[in-house]
Amino acid sequence: MRAVVLQEFGTPLILSEIDKPDAGPGQVLVKVMASGVNPLDTKIWADKAAHAKRTLPAVLGLDLAGVVEAVGTGVNDFTPGDEVYGMTGGVGDLQGSLAEYAAVDARLLARKPTALSMREAAALPLVVITAWEGLIDRAQVRPGQKVLIHGGAGGIGHVAVQIARARGAEVFATTSPSRLEVVERLGATPIDYTTTAVEEYVAEHTGGQGFDVIFDTVGGAVLDASFAAVRTYTGHVVSALGWGTHSLAPLSFRGATYSGVFTLLPMLTGRNREHHGEIMREAAALADAGALKPLLDPRRFTLADVVDAHAAVESGALHGKIVIDVG
């Protein structure tokens, strides 16, 4: 089969012919139709993601959507011909989705939402799992709460906005001036972070009380700002980017709590992989109910164009998720 192979970190990705895998016990062989590209993919390529524990040579690509080709022993939930999606590889020693076929742990998969195309489905897994673990598993977002999403038009952020709204929360989202309309279209109240100070939007939207839940997808100074913008006593800050040195004093002075999200753990450790499958099933139900739809960048890439796709992600000049057409 054709696959894009990384031989050494930071060196060009090579479109190669490698052996087609077989579905082992507990695995599903998927004919990959589309592969979502995430910033983490480019960091792994550049050897700036030690936490991904990627062994080389490697086929990168975390997210996939495709069609079941075969199932291994012990797999009862899928049959050949099923359309599936999930975050299934690209870290540790797991083959990624930049290949025509992938043998993946069946626990990480769910049936693709019927309302979404293969490209749309491939754009979702990492960002949906990250948003779900933050908002629902950690913060337990519920109706009536005021939820602030930092980076609300970004890859994780635009999905987090939709999930929080589906949970019945009143949602606010920070973004740049050029993306305010995107956030508003998703159903959140947009906040221009370039012109509005933290104390100003806390006063305007919460009467100075602070937000019940803040989900940070940006990190750095934005995480520090979250500690000062959360509701006293009952507020909860969640971040998918805890890098850097942060003072917890502002959070402590408000008596609030913090949680981190690290979505790669089940793939790296083999533990709790079934929960990722559960999240993908829940996300499919939301998508089929019309409550969840990813934003796609209109540019098209194939396995022969992966380097260009990575460059597009690294540029930051995106209008949605980059997806590579494989099948």
Side-chain angles (χ1 to χ4, degrees):
M1 68 173 183
R2 294 190 310 153
V4 177
V5 179
L6 176 63
Q7 294 288 351
E8 298 290 340
F9 292 117
T11 62
L13 295 162
I14 301 171
L15 184 56
S16 309
E17 288 283 340
I18 66 173
D19 292 337
K20 178 180 174 182
D22 296 315
Q27 290 186 325
V28 171
L29 180 65
V30 178
K31 179 177 174 58
V32 182
M33 303 304 294
S35 171
V37 184
N38 297 283
L40 179 57
D41 294 305
T42 67
K43 291 183 175 70
I44 292 172
W45 170 83
D47 199 17
K48 295 179 179 178
H51 58 290
K53 300 180 180 179
R54 179 72 267 190
T55 55
L56 299 182
V59 176
L60 304 185
L62 292 108
D63 297 338
L64 64 72
V67 180
V68 173
E69 180 99 347
V71 298
T73 58
V75 175
N76 301 311
D77 296 333
F78 301 102
T79 58
D82 287 343
E83 296 185 337
V84 294
Y85 77 137
M87 182 174 73
T88 59
V91 298
D93 59 357
L94 302 178
Q95 183 208 302
S97 55
L98 291 176
E100 292 178 316
Y101 294 89
V104 305
D105 190 325
R107 294 175 294 174
L108 297 169
L109 288 172
R111 285 178 176 78
K112 182 185 77 65
T114 57
L116 301 184
S117 67
M118 285 288 182
R119 286 172 51 77
E120 289 170 324
L124 281 177
L126 173 64
V127 293
V128 158
I129 291 170
T130 305
W132 193 279
E133 289 188 347
L135 292 171
I136 297 177
D137 291 349
R138 306 290 190 276
Q140 300 176 358
V141 168
R142 55 191 181 272
Q145 288 186 317
K146 290 191 174 185
V147 174
L148 174 64
I149 311 294
H150 283 305
I156 299 170
H158 86 282
V159 166
V161 166
Q162 295 176 75
I163 290 175
R165 289 194 70 240
R167 297 285 286 190
E170 183 181 2
V171 185
F172 305 81
T174 61
T175 191
S176 61
S178 65
R179 307 292 278 167
L180 293 172
E181 185 273 333
V182 173
V183 165
E184 192 166 21
R185 183 155 36 92
L186 292 170
T189 298
I191 298 171
D192 181 351
Y193 73 86
T194 67
T195 60
T196 311
V198 174
E199 57 272 16
E200 292 175 339
Y201 63 68
V202 169
E204 178 180 357
H205 299 300
T206 74
Q209 296 299 306
F211 295 91
D212 297 293
V213 174
I214 300 179
F215 188 30
D216 161 46
T217 73
V218 181
V222 174
L223 179 53
D224 292 323
S226 302
F227 295 157
V230 71
R231 180 178 286 274
T232 303
Y233 294 125
T234 59
H236 196 143
V237 176
V238 183
S239 181
L241 289 168
W243 304 111
T245 301
H246 302 277
S247 172
L248 295 178
L251 186 73
S252 300
F253 292 154
R254 301 182 79 85
T257 55
Y258 169 82
S259 295
V261 174
F262 184 39
T263 59
L264 304 185
L265 272 177
M267 289 196 294
L268 294 174
T269 66
R271 296 164 51 194
N272 297 322
R273 288 183 176 179
E274 60 278 354
H275 183 51
H276 279 191
E278 293 167 357
I279 293 173
M280 299 315 301
R281 288 192 291 275
E282 294 280 0
L286 284 181
D288 285 336
L292 176 63
K293 189 177 180 67
L295 300 175
L296 294 190
D297 190 287
R299 287 170 286 184
R300 304 294 288 255
F301 301 91
T302 68
L303 287 179
D305 309 315
V306 171
V307 172
D308 294 332
H310 279 202
V313 170
E314 288 185 303
S315 75
L318 304 175
H319 298 282
K321 287 290 298 288
I322 294 284
V323 175
I324 294 169
D325 296 309
V326 180

